Amino acid sequence: MTSTLGVVMLIHTAFDRAEQVIRQWAAAGCPVVVHVDAPVPAERFDAFRARVADLPDVRFSPRFRCEWGTWGIVAASQCAADLMLGEFPDVRHVYLASGSCLPLRPVADLVAYLDARPNTDFIESATTADVPWTVGGLSEERFTMRFPFSWRRRRRLFDWYVRVQRRLGLRRTIPDGIVPHMGSQWWCLTRRTLSAILTAPERPVWDGYFRKVWIPDESYFQSLARLFSERIESRSLTLAKFDFQGKPHIFYDDHLQLLRRSDCFVARKIWPHADLLYDTFLGTQGSAMASGEPNPGKIDRIFAKAVDRRTRGRPGLYMQSRFPNPNWENGLTTARYSVFEGFSHLFEDFETWLARATGTRVHGHLFAPEGVEFEGRQPTFSGALPADAALRDRNAWMFLTSLIWNTRGERQCFQYGPMDNQDVSWPIAKDPNADVSVISGAWAVPLFRSNLDFAELRVQAARLQRIEAEHIKALRSSYAKARVRIWTMADFVEAPMEALQGIVDEIGQSSRRRLAEVPRMVDLGGFGQFLQNLKNQGMHPYLMGDFPVAGGSGGTQPPKRKPYLVK
Amino acid sequence: MSVWQQYRLRLERKRWRVRAWRKRRELTAVEDRTARIAPGDILVFSTFRNEDVRLPWFLDYYRRLGVGHFLMVDNASDDGGREFLAGQPDVSLWTTDASYKRSRFGVDWLNWLLRRHGHGHWCLTVDPDELLIYPFCDTRPLRALTDWLDASSIKSFSAMLLDMYPKGRLDGQPYRRGSDPLEIAQWFDSGNYAIERNHRFGNLWIQGGPRARVFFPETPALAPALNKIPLVKWDRRYTYVSSTHMLLPRGLNLVYDEWGGEKASGLLLHTKFLDTFGGKAAEELSRGQHYGASREYRAYAGLGADSPDLWCKWSEKYINWRQLEILGLMSKGNWA
C-alpha cells in the first residue's frame, strides 16, 4: 500500500541530488513521478533512470521543454499529475516539487499533516489586483496580452511585442468563468481538485488561453483550483523566497539552523553543493523535529532585508557597489549633523562649550583652507580620515559624507564660514540631515580684531561678504532641504540666550533643561564703528544687520552682556 | 552614449586584443597543464616577479576557496618562485623576461592567457599579494558565489583593493614563507575613500586609504586607484584595459548600483605592506618598471630611510568579512 501523498518532481540538473531526494520520498512510501527537462541528453536521462530503477514506485513522465516563464512547465506538471492519478489510486494529495527542493521534516510529518486536512488544497492563489508581485512590470497584463516570444532568449522581441500591444490596445478575452489568480508555482492539490481540472471539458479552451499567458506556471493551477476546490489554503507548503527580480533565493550550509527552526516541510532552492544541508535533512527519517505549523517568519525577514539592501541600500553610504545618481541617493548622508556659522567668531571657546552643553562631537572648521580642524585638532579622525587639506579638497562632499558615515551613532557638529572650502555649500543646503545655524556677518569679527591694514581688511570683507551671500542664497533656495536658521549678527547679539537654547534643544542629546552656562561673547566694543569705517570706504557690510554705530569713535560701548543666564 | 563613442570603444577593445595577441610571443611555457582544466573550473590568473615568499600562502588560500587551476606568468624571477610553481600540479606557468612596463604592467600577457584559456570560466585575476574576500566567504566556497552570479545573470564582480598594514614599522615583524600575511598586516583604513565616476568606461574611480593618507597627502590625484573588478565570467571578446580596474565592453564595469541600492561586492585584501616592501621598493626604483613611473615607490622612498608607520589611532583591526560589510566597504547585496 502506497502513501496517500504522491510527489511530482520536475528536474533539469543536479541529478545526484535529485536522486537522493527521490529516495527520501520513496523510503516513506510516497510514489514519485519524475519529469526530466527535454533538453537533457538521452544518455544522461537513461543513466539517471537506471539509477533509480530499483525503486518500484517511481515513474517517468513524457518530457517537455521547460523554459522559464513558458507553458512547458505547466504541460509537464499536467502530464505527470495525470500519470500519478492514474497509476497510484491510493494517492489523495499530489505535491509538486523540483529537483532542488529538500524535505526538511520527516515525510511522515507531512503525510500526517495532510491526512488531518484531507479536503484542503494548498496553493498560493491571489488576484492580481491584491498583490504587488509585479516583477518585470507585468501584472494584469500577463493575462490580457500574448507572449509568443521567449523572455530569456528573445528579450528585445518580447519587449517590443509588449509595447506594440500596449500601443494598439490589443487585449485578449479571458475565457468565461476564469478569474486570473497568481501565486507560487509549488502547490499541493487533492485528487478531487486535480482530476477535476485535468478532465474538465473546457480544458482545451483553458490550455489554449494559458499557453500564451506570461509565466503560466504561476497562474494556471492557481486560477483553475479556484473553480473546483472545496477548501483552499492560499499558501505554499514549500518554503521558497524570491528576490526583487523574481529569482529564487538559494539556501546554503550556513542556513542550517534557520531551516531547522522554520518547521517548514519542504524548502527550495537548495544549492546542490550544500553537503551539510543534504546530510542533515536526508540523514534521519525519525521524528527529530517538533511538529507544528510551518513558521518561516525569521527566514522571511532575512530575505526581505536582503532585498531591501539591494534595492534601497544604506542611506548615506557611497562605496564600490553603491554609487547613486544625483537625486537617487535615498538620503544624502547617514545621520543628522549640525553646522554652525559665525558662532566661533562671536564666542570665545564656543566648541568646548557646545560639546559640554550637548554631549556631541564638536569640530572646528572642517573645511578650513589650512587643513581640517578635527575635534582636538587630531591629525586623523574616525575612519582614518586625514586632516590634510589637499586630500579633503579632492572631493570635499565625499569627505563630509564619509565623516558622517564613519561616526554613525554619534552626532557631529562643525563650524563653517565663508573662508572655508565652498564646494560643500550647495550639498549641505540640499541635505535634509543638515541643521544649519548661521549668524550672518560674524566673519567680520575676526577682521575687526585683526591687525591687518585697512585696505587689506576692506578687500577681505568684500570677498567674504560675497561668498556668504552666495551661501545664504543656497540655504534659502527652493532646493534647500536642510533645517536652516539665519540670524543677522545684530539680531543675534540682542538675544543670544534664546537662540542658543533653541539650538541645544533641537540637538536634543542632553536632557531638556535650561542652559546653566553660556559661552562668553567676545568684546564687541567699537565693532559698530568698524562697520561704519568699512561703509565710509564704500564697502557696505549688510549681512550683519543694523549694528548701532554707538555714537562715533570713542563713544559709549554697548553694555556688556552678562555671561550667565538668570533663571 | 553616442554611436560614435561606442564605435571608438569597440576599436579600443580590438586594439588591446591585438596587442595581447602580439605580446603572446613574449611568453614561454614552463609547465603547460591547461589540458587538466575541467569545464566549470574557477581559474586564477596572476603575474609575479620575485614573490617566492608569498606563493605558498597564495596557492593555499585560493585552493581552499575552491579554485581549480592557476595560470601564472613569471616575469624573470630569480628567487626560486618559478621552480616552486613548476612543481605544483594545479599550476600552469609561463615565463618572460620582457618588459613589465611595456606589457602594460602584465595586462597584455594576462589578456592573452584569459582569451586562450579563460573563455566560459569564472576567472579571478589577482596579484600574489591580493586575497579575495566576499560575502559569506567563511562558510561558502567561491563556487557558491559564482553559481549565484550565474543565476543572477551577473558577469563581473567588484572587489575594491583594501590596503592592509601592520602596526609599527613595516619591517618590525618579519614575514615567514607560508604563513598568513594577515597575522602581521591586520590593520586597515575603514572610511577615507573618495569615489568618482569615469564616464568614458563607466567604472568608478576610487582613491584613498593609507597610501593616499601617508604617501600622497599633498597630491591626492596621484594616489593609486583602488577600484578592481577581478572576478569575471570570461568571454574571449573581453579585455582588461588598465590593470583589473576596468574592462571592455564597458557594461562589465557597471558593478555598482546607481539607484540607491547596493550590489554584492567583495574586497581584495592587499598585503603588500610587509617587511618585504622595503626591498621591493629599492629594486623597483632602479628598474622603473611600475605604474606612473613607480611614483608610489618614490613617494615611499621620499619619506626617508625610516620605514614608515601606516598605522594611526583610527586604524581598524581586521576581524572578518562581516565587519567589512558593516563598515560599508563591501556589500552582501541581495545575496543572503
Side-chain angles (χ1 to χ4, degrees):
Chain A
M1 144 110 192
T2 53
S3 171
T4 54
L5 172 66
V7 179
V8 168
M9 207 161 165
L10 311 178
I11 304 176
H12 66 103
T13 177
F15 290 94
D16 46 339
R17 291 305 188 190
E19 181 191 344
Q20 276 183 289
V21 176
I22 290 172
R23 288 186 182 281
Q24 176 87 349
W25 291 115
C30 298
V32 181
V33 174
V34 180
H35 174 270
V36 177
D37 200 5
V40 172
E43 319 86 78
R44 279 289 288 283
F45 175 72
D46 292 338
F48 178 62
R49 197 169 177 154
R51 264 163 60 186
V52 292
D54 61 311
L55 300 170
D57 290 336
V58 173
R59 301 285 185 278
F60 283 81
S61 68
R63 295 164 65 189
F64 293 86
R65 187 186 172 86
C66 295
E67 193 181 337
W68 182 80
T70 62
W71 173 253
I73 303 175
V74 178
S77 324
Q78 285 177 329
C79 221
D82 223 16
L83 188 66
M84 172 71 74
L85 297 177
E87 295 251 331
F88 303 100
D90 293 336
V91 165
R92 193 196 55 240
H93 268 99
V94 176
Y95 199 113
L96 183 65
S98 81
S100 50
C101 287
L102 177 66
L104 302 184
R105 287 168 63 172
V107 176
D109 266 18
L110 176 56
V111 174
Y113 186 85
L114 293 172
D115 282 346
R117 298 158 180 81
N119 296 321
T120 307
D121 293 295
F122 293 91
I123 181 164
E124 191 178 48
S125 158
T127 58
T128 49
D130 304 330
V131 285
W133 301 321
T134 55
V135 171
L138 295 164
S139 62
E140 209 227 318
E141 288 168 328
R142 288 176 180 219
F143 299 102
T144 58
M145 287 187 181
R146 281 163 217 274
F147 299 93
F149 302 111
S150 160
W151 186 79
R152 280 267 157 95
R153 284 171 299 131
R154 301 254 183 278
R155 183 78 61 92
R156 285 202 180 159
L157 213 51
F158 180 97
D159 289 342
W160 170 81
Y161 198 52
V162 166
R163 277 200 305 276
V164 165
Q165 292 179 82
R166 276 185 187 154
R167 188 154 316 153
L168 299 181
L170 295 179
R171 283 178 69 89
R172 312 178 61 192
T173 45
I174 299 171
D176 277 347
I178 288 188
V179 182
H181 280 69
M182 278 161 48
S184 164
Q185 66 180 112
W186 309 108
W187 42 252
C188 176
L189 296 175
T190 58
R191 171 180 286 271
R192 264 196 41 160
T193 306
L194 202 48
S195 56
I197 292 173
L198 294 176
T199 57
E202 302 94 326
R203 190 173 144 190
V205 180
W206 296 340
D207 286 9
Y209 167 73
F210 277 103
R211 206 178 277 273
K212 296 253 156 39
V213 158
W214 174 229
I215 321 184
D217 49 315
E218 289 183 358
S219 58
Y220 180 82
F221 289 100
Q222 289 73 5
S223 303
L224 297 182
R226 288 280 166 190
L227 300 182
F228 300 106
S229 177
E230 199 169 293
R231 212 184 121 79
I232 282 189
E233 275 273 318
S234 181
R235 65 189 163 95
S236 173
L237 291 177
T238 303
L239 170 67
K241 304 304 298 175
F242 293 88
D243 73 1
F244 72 116
Q245 288 168 317
K247 286 188 288 282
H249 280 296
I250 301 167
F251 291 103
Y252 301 92
D253 283 349
D254 46 49
H255 291 122
L256 175 64
Q257 294 308 327
L258 270 176
L259 289 173
R260 233 190 241 273
R261 279 186 234 120
S262 73
D263 279 342
C264 291
F265 293 109
V266 178
R268 94 178 288 268
K269 164 176 199 177
I270 312 289
W271 187 47
H273 302 287
D275 296 341
L276 186 64
L277 293 187
Y278 278 97
D279 291 351
T280 308
F281 290 112
L282 296 184
T284 55
Q285 195 54 264
S287 54
M289 288 209 300
S291 48
E293 281 289 333
N295 173 28
K298 190 152 185 198
I299 292 179
D300 285 348
R301 277 195 296 281
I302 283 184
F303 287 121
K305 259 161 81 180
V307 171
D308 193 59
R309 173 64 58 93
R310 176 65 186 83
T311 52
R312 295 177 57 76
R314 289 170 277 186
L317 174 64
Y318 300 81
M319 48 92 77
Q320 54 169 332
S321 54
R322 180 182 202 267
F323 198 70
N325 288 329
N327 301 322
W328 283 94
E329 293 90 350
N330 168 30
L332 283 164
T333 47
T334 308
R336 283 180 64 172
Y337 56 94
S338 304
V339 186
F340 293 92
E341 306 186 15
F343 289 74
S344 59
H345 301 313
L346 199 56
F347 296 105
E348 285 170 4
D349 225 3
F350 177 72
E351 292 172 44
T352 324
W353 172 83
L354 186 66
R356 243 196 333 262
T358 60
T360 56
R361 186 77 74 159
V362 183
H363 305 281
H365 287 260
L366 286 183
F367 296 94
E370 306 79 37
V372 185
E373 296 177 4
F374 287 123
E375 182 205 44
R377 304 302 177 261
Q378 310 175 55
T380 49
F381 192 64
S382 187
L385 274 174
D388 301 85
L391 281 170
R392 174 201 62 200
D393 293 340
R394 174 118 169 96
N395 196 332
W397 173 241
M398 190 145 282
F399 170 84
L400 183 58
T401 57
S402 296
L403 176 71
I404 304 296
W405 170 260
N406 294 343
T407 55
R408 327 192 264 299
E410 177 194 64
R411 185 162 180 139
Q412 306 294 308
C413 302
F414 63 92
Q415 322 301 321
Y416 190 63
M419 58 292 278
D420 297 339
N421 183 335
Q422 294 296 306
D423 289 351
V424 293
S425 165
W426 265 105
I428 287 177
K430 287 196 283 189
D431 184 4
N433 276 328
D435 284 341
V436 187
S437 307
V438 184
I439 305 175
S440 68
W443 44 264
V445 176
L447 292 183
F448 156 64
R449 302 173 76 199
S450 76
N451 277 326
L452 290 176
D453 76 82
F454 202 78
E456 174 66 12
L457 279 181
R458 187 192 174 289
V459 174
Q460 286 282 349
R463 188 176 71 90
L464 295 177
Q465 175 154 274
R466 201 170 53 243
I467 293 171
E468 190 170 74
E470 197 62 34
H471 175 60
I472 288 177
K473 207 163 94 192
L475 293 178
R476 286 189 171 142
S477 85
S478 59
Y479 301 104
K481 295 216 174 68
R483 272 173 298 266
V484 178
R485 301 181 221 215
I486 302 173
W487 296 270
T488 63
M489 189 175 153
D491 284 351
F492 192 89
V493 297
E494 275 305 308
M497 293 318 97
E498 289 81 345
L500 288 174
Q501 181 77 54
I503 289 166
V504 170
D505 285 350
E506 194 173 277
I507 291 177
Q509 299 265 349
S510 54
S511 56
R512 289 196 166 244
R513 57 190 156 85
R514 299 297 296 171
L515 288 172
E517 178 199 6
V518 295
R520 224 162 72 98
M521 204 181 281
V522 298
D523 183 5
L524 290 177
F527 185 67
Q529 184 58 50
F530 170 75
L531 295 181
Q532 186 56 49
N533 291 347
L534 283 174
K535 280 185 195 161
N536 296 345
Q537 291 290 320
M539 167 8 216
H540 268 253
Y542 61 92
L543 289 173
M544 303 76 189
D546 293 324
F547 234 84
V549 182
S553 60
T556 55
Q557 293 190 346
K560 249 190 179 170
R561 294 216 150 254
K562 272 195 183 162
Y564 293 95
L565 196 70
V566 182
K567 287 185 191 174
Chain B
M1 163 157 280
S2 72
V3 175
W4 172 237
Q5 268 175 309
Q6 281 180 25
Y7 183 67
R8 282 185 34 180
L9 285 175
R10 185 183 169 85
L11 282 187
E12 176 162 353
R13 180 167 62 84
K14 302 234 170 198
R15 181 156 76 94
W16 298 133
R17 291 189 72 227
V18 168
R19 192 179 162 108
W21 180 75
R22 266 195 308 119
K23 292 277 176 182
R24 81 193 187 284
R25 280 177 301 178
E26 294 178 358
L27 299 176
T28 316
V30 180
E31 281 293 342
D32 186 346
R33 301 188 179 99
T34 49
R36 295 190 196 174
I37 297 175
D41 267 356
I42 300 172
L43 309 179
V44 161
F45 292 80
S46 186
T47 169
F48 67 96
R49 174 188 171 81
N50 288 345
E51 294 284 10
D52 178 59
V53 69
R54 291 177 184 275
L55 290 173
W57 180 261
F58 173 77
L59 294 181
D60 279 0
Y61 184 85
Y62 286 108
R63 278 173 189 152
R64 267 202 304 277
L65 292 185
V67 165
H69 202 85
F70 296 83
L71 297 97
M72 314 277 291
V73 176
D74 158 52
N75 185 200
S77 296
D78 53 14
D79 65 346
R82 179 180 3 179
E83 291 70 23
F84 166 73
L85 281 181
Q88 302 295 316
D90 53 355
V91 175
S92 290
L93 180 65
W94 289 262
T95 188
T96 177
D97 46 16
S99 164
Y100 183 63
K101 192 170 170 180
R102 293 187 54 189
S103 76
R104 297 188 305 130
F105 315 105
V107 173
D108 290 332
W109 300 330
L110 292 185
N111 269 338
W112 169 249
L113 291 179
L114 280 161
R115 183 163 144 198
R116 270 299 297 282
H117 303 290
H119 182 75
H121 291 272
W122 277 96
C123 296
L124 181 65
T125 307
V126 288
D127 287 342
D129 57 4
E130 295 170 353
L131 304 175
L132 177 72
I133 293 282
Y134 54 88
F136 305 101
C137 59
D138 49 358
T139 51
R140 301 179 195 173
L142 194 51
R143 156 99 37 222
L145 174 67
T146 56
D147 279 359
W148 178 78
L149 292 170
D150 274 331
S152 308
S153 313
I154 301 171
K155 294 195 177 71
S156 54
F157 182 77
S158 171
M160 184 180 96
L161 204 59
L162 185 69
D163 289 323
M164 309 296 291
Y165 47 85
K167 183 173 177 177
R169 294 166 57 104
L170 292 186
D171 55 7
Q173 296 153 276
Y175 173 70
R176 264 183 320 101
R177 191 169 188 271
S179 65
D180 182 357
L182 294 176
E183 283 170 9
I184 299 169
Q186 47 182 301
W187 299 85
F188 62 93
D189 285 12
S190 70
N192 57 8
Y193 301 91
I195 308 175
E196 279 168 47
R197 204 182 306 234
N198 175 349
H199 286 281
R200 183 163 149 74
F201 289 96
N203 62 304
L204 295 182
W205 196 253
I206 308 179
Q207 292 172 304
R211 280 187 281 176
R213 174 162 63 80
V214 178
F215 298 156
F216 299 95
E218 308 295 333
T219 50
L222 302 183
L226 304 175
N227 48 298
K228 290 225 167 192
I229 306 174
L231 184 60
V232 179
K233 177 76 172 275
W234 203 262
D235 185 288
R236 60 174 70 88
R237 291 165 304 166
Y238 297 170
T239 173
Y240 276 116
V241 174
S242 150
S243 176
T244 48
H245 299 311
M246 50 203 182
L247 296 122
L248 279 173
R250 72 200 285 276
L252 297 169
N253 295 328
L254 203 72
V255 290
Y256 54 97
D257 190 281
E258 300 173 282
W259 313 107
E262 292 175 30
K263 289 189 179 178
S265 56
L267 287 165
L268 289 176
L269 303 186
H270 193 207
T271 59
K272 182 179 196 167
F273 299 105
L274 298 175
D275 60 325
T276 52
F277 183 73
K280 281 256 161 202
E283 187 194 339
E284 293 306 336
L285 270 183
S286 60
R287 287 177 72 234
Q289 286 281 308
H290 270 268
Y291 182 73
S294 306
R295 214 181 271 139
E296 189 182 327
Y297 289 109
R298 279 192 285 131
Y300 164 73
L303 290 175
D306 267 353
S307 187
D309 186 356
L310 298 175
W311 187 87
C312 75
K313 184 182 151 192
W314 297 96
S315 296
E316 204 74 47
K317 190 172 179 179
Y318 174 66
I319 304 169
N320 57 21
W321 71 267
R322 284 184 192 273
Q323 165 202 29
L324 301 173
E325 219 263 343
I326 290 166
L327 289 170
L329 290 164
M330 59 186 268
S331 179
K332 291 186 283 194
N334 54 326
W335 201 30

